[in-house]
Amino acid sequence: MAVYAGPVQDLIDELGRLPGIGPKSAQRIAFHLLKLARGDAQRLANAIIEAKDKVTFCSRCFNIAEGAGDTDALCSICSDERRDPTVLCVVEEPRDIVAVEKTGEFRGRYHVLQGAISPIEGVGPDQLRVKELLGRLDDERVQEIILCTNPNIEGEATALYLARLLKPVGLRITRIASGLPVGGDLEYADELTLGRALEGRRDVEG
Ligand SMILES: [Zn+2]
């Protein structure tokens, strides 16, 4: 429903496509942006374009990596030889890697699914980096997979799906311990709590 004409409505429409921004927030941000000095608006626009031009996803784990257009780009963790390749921590988004790294409890590698299973939003396993996860198991001497998806409905459904899928592969499959705020995101858990959840991870039955 277009209320404003031309460029103002275009701006509201674009902002409304961002995650977690409803129509009211989109309007509020649009009018905030209109009040900015041109230089400030330009800096924001430049930051978006620069990030798009310089950042890509790691070809192995789908964390963010430098080098746009480089299809073989590796992130800083995958390029670090000191990281233990036998343990893979499976997370939903690159920001979850930051949360786990802050705990200082994990020295293995990661795999970013780039989402979670959500029938309501039409996201199934095919929309996630599941095939790529399976492809890594043979190549990288993986012995344990820690299912570190969010402690909410989508995250639990994703962990359960992966546990069942991976069971026949014969690896150790673990899930971070409960005790995290239920329904929340990993990134909202404090370092100590998330560290304990990792340490207290349990073997899961598929
Ligand atoms: Zn990587």
Side-chain angles (χ1 to χ4, degrees), residues 48-189:
I48 295 171
I49 296 302
E50 186 148 321
K52 284 302 294 175
D53 284 349
K54 290 191 177 158
V55 178
T56 186
F57 291 105
C58 174
S59 60
R60 193 180 288 167
C61 78
F62 301 95
N63 186 13
I64 50 170
E66 277 181 43
D70 179 0
T71 49
D72 296 323
L74 287 182
C75 71
S76 56
I77 293 170
C78 287
S79 358
D80 185 347
E81 293 295 329
R82 292 163 300 179
R83 304 291 298 220
D84 179 0
T86 65
V87 190
L88 272 193
C89 183
V90 177
V91 295
E92 294 178 23
E93 300 289 350
R95 62 177 188 266
D96 300 325
I97 293 184
V98 177
V100 175
E101 286 296 290
K102 275 202 216 149
T103 68
E105 294 283 335
F106 183 68
R107 295 301 304 158
R109 292 194 173 149
Y110 293 92
H111 190 83
V112 181
L113 295 168
Q114 294 189 324
I117 293 173
S118 171
I120 294 167
E121 288 174 45
V123 181
D126 291 347
Q127 277 83 49
L128 305 175
R129 299 290 183 176
V130 172
K131 265 199 318 284
E132 290 85 350
L133 171 63
L134 296 176
R136 294 180 65 184
L137 302 182
D138 292 335
D139 302 347
E140 297 179 43
R141 297 175 290 129
V142 177
Q143 290 166 13
E144 181 186 351
I145 292 183
I146 305 173
L147 301 170
C148 201
T149 49
N150 287 328
N152 55 25
I153 293 170
E154 292 82 10
E156 294 297 347
T158 307
L160 190 66
Y161 171 83
L162 289 175
R164 285 183 180 150
L165 182 75
L166 295 166
K167 201 72 187 172
V169 186
L171 303 169
R172 184 175 180 214
I173 316 283
T174 55
R175 174 85 173 117
I176 47 170
S178 47
L180 291 170
V182 173
D185 286 351
L186 286 189
E187 59 179 328
Y188 300 130

